[in-house]
Amino acid sequence: MRLLKQLVPAVVVAAAGHAGVQAVGGNPYLTLVLGVATAALALFVYAWTVRWSERRAPDEVAAKGAAAATGRGMLIGAGMFAAVILNIAFVGGYRVDGMGSVTGAVAIAGFMAAAAVTEEVIFRGILFRIVEERIGTLPALALTGVLFGLMHLFNAHATLWGAIAIAIEAGGMLAAAYAATRSLWLPIGLHFGWNFAGGGIFATVVSGNGASQGLLNGVTSGPALLTGGEFGPEGSPYAVVFGLLLTVVFLWLARRRGNLVPVRRRATATLSR
C-alpha cells in the first residue's frame, strides 16, 4: 500500500505535466516554465506522500546540498554523453554543421527538467527504494532497470535493443547513483545532464523521440550498430559501456559507504512505520 500511496500521485503529476508541456510545445518559454513547474510539483508531492505514508522526513530530497549534488550530476551526465558523441564522431558517425537553435534548446531544457525529475521520483525514489527494502540492492537495481527500459518502448522510434540499452546504461546507473548517495539529487542531475546534452546541445535523437533542435546543428549518420540509429546515441554500444562503467563506480561507492542492502534482507523500521 505504501508503494501505491506514493506511486499514484507521482504518476498523475507526471502525466499532467507531460500533457501540459506537449500542449504548449510551440512556445519554448512556456515549455520551460511548465517543465520546471512540473519538476517542482513532482518533488513537492513526493515529499508530502513520503511524510504521509511513512511518517518520516523525506531526506532523499532534502534542500541541504541539493544544488551541489544536482550540479555534480549534470556535469557527469553531460560529460558522459559528450564522451559517447566523441567516440561516435571518431568513427565518422557524427558531425556538426554549424550552430543550431537557442529557442530549441530552451524548450528541450523544460521538457527534460520535467522528464528527469518525474522519472527519478517514480523509478528511483519510489520503485527502487521500496523494492530494495524487500529484496536487496542488486535485485532491485536489475528489476527497476528492466522496467525503466520497457517504458521507453512506447517512444515513437523505439527499438527492442534501445530499450535493453536504456535498461543497462541508465536504469542501472541511476539506481546505483541513488544507492551510493541515498539522495535523488545526483540521479536527477545525471538524468537531466545526459538528456539535455543529447537533445539540447548536440541535437541528437533522445530515446527514440525524433530529431531535436539544440545549440549545435548535429548530423548523425552511419551504421545504426554504432550510432544507435533512430533510437539515438543511447542505443550505441559506447553509451552502454560508459553507463556500465559508471554503474560499477557507483556500486563500489555504495559498498564502501555501507549503503548496499543485502539480498532478501527483511523489511526494516521504515516498513513498520
Side-chain angles (χ1 to χ4, degrees):
M1 290 302 297
R2 181 164 58 104
L3 189 148
L4 288 177
K5 287 177 181 178
Q6 296 176 22
L7 189 60
V8 171
V11 170
V12 169
V13 170
H18 178 76
V21 168
Q22 291 294 325
V24 300
N27 188 313
Y29 301 104
L30 280 179
T31 300
L32 177 63
V33 170
L34 277 177
V36 172
T38 298
L41 181 60
L43 290 168
F44 173 81
V45 169
Y46 172 75
W48 182 84
T49 56
V50 166
R51 288 191 182 95
W52 167 56
S53 62
E54 299 187 16
R55 301 291 192 271
R56 68 174 179 86
D59 295 330
E60 60 271 27
V61 289
K64 184 177 180 181
T70 305
R72 284 193 297 272
M74 290 170 62
L75 288 175
I76 295 170
M80 177 182 165
F81 194 91
V84 171
I85 282 293
L86 285 174
N87 278 276
I88 293 175
F90 183 75
V91 295
Y94 178 85
R95 71 178 189 277
V96 176
D97 285 348
M99 298 303 295
S101 168
V102 173
T103 55
V106 168
I108 289 172
F111 183 82
M112 295 308 179
V117 173
T118 56
E119 290 177 15
E120 289 313 301
V121 163
I122 291 170
F123 283 93
R124 261 59 67 176
I126 300 173
L127 291 175
F128 173 76
R129 180 176 60 83
I130 293 176
V131 171
E132 181 192 37
E133 293 172 1
R134 292 284 188 180
I135 64 176
T137 299
L138 296 182
L141 183 149
L143 177 61
T144 57
V146 169
L147 292 175
F148 192 61
L150 288 174
M151 181 192 72
H152 289 78
L153 281 175
F154 294 98
N155 294 348
H157 301 286
T159 64
L160 179 59
W161 164 246
I164 293 171
I166 286 287
I168 297 170
E169 75 203 25
M173 176 184 67
L174 293 167
Y178 174 80
T181 60
R182 293 299 158 184
S183 166
L184 282 176
W185 297 119
L186 183 67
I188 286 172
L190 266 169
H191 198 149
F192 177 82
W194 170 268
N195 280 353
F196 181 73
I201 298 176
F202 295 103
T204 65
V205 176
V206 178
S207 305
N209 280 313
S212 303
Q213 289 186 323
L215 295 175
L216 301 174
N217 183 18
V219 179
T220 304
S221 60
L225 180 64
L226 290 177
T227 66
E230 290 189 336
F231 192 79
E234 287 163 311
S236 165
Y238 295 118
V240 175
V241 169
F242 284 121
L244 278 173
L245 287 174
L246 273 179
T247 300
V248 170
V249 170
F250 286 133
L251 286 176
W252 174 78
L253 284 173
R255 183 173 183 272
R256 184 178 181 183
R257 294 169 179 175
N259 288 345
L260 290 183
V261 178
V263 177
R264 294 180 182 175
R265 176 177 175 177
R266 299 299 297 174
T268 56
T270 302
L271 289 176
S272 64
R273 291 171 182 167

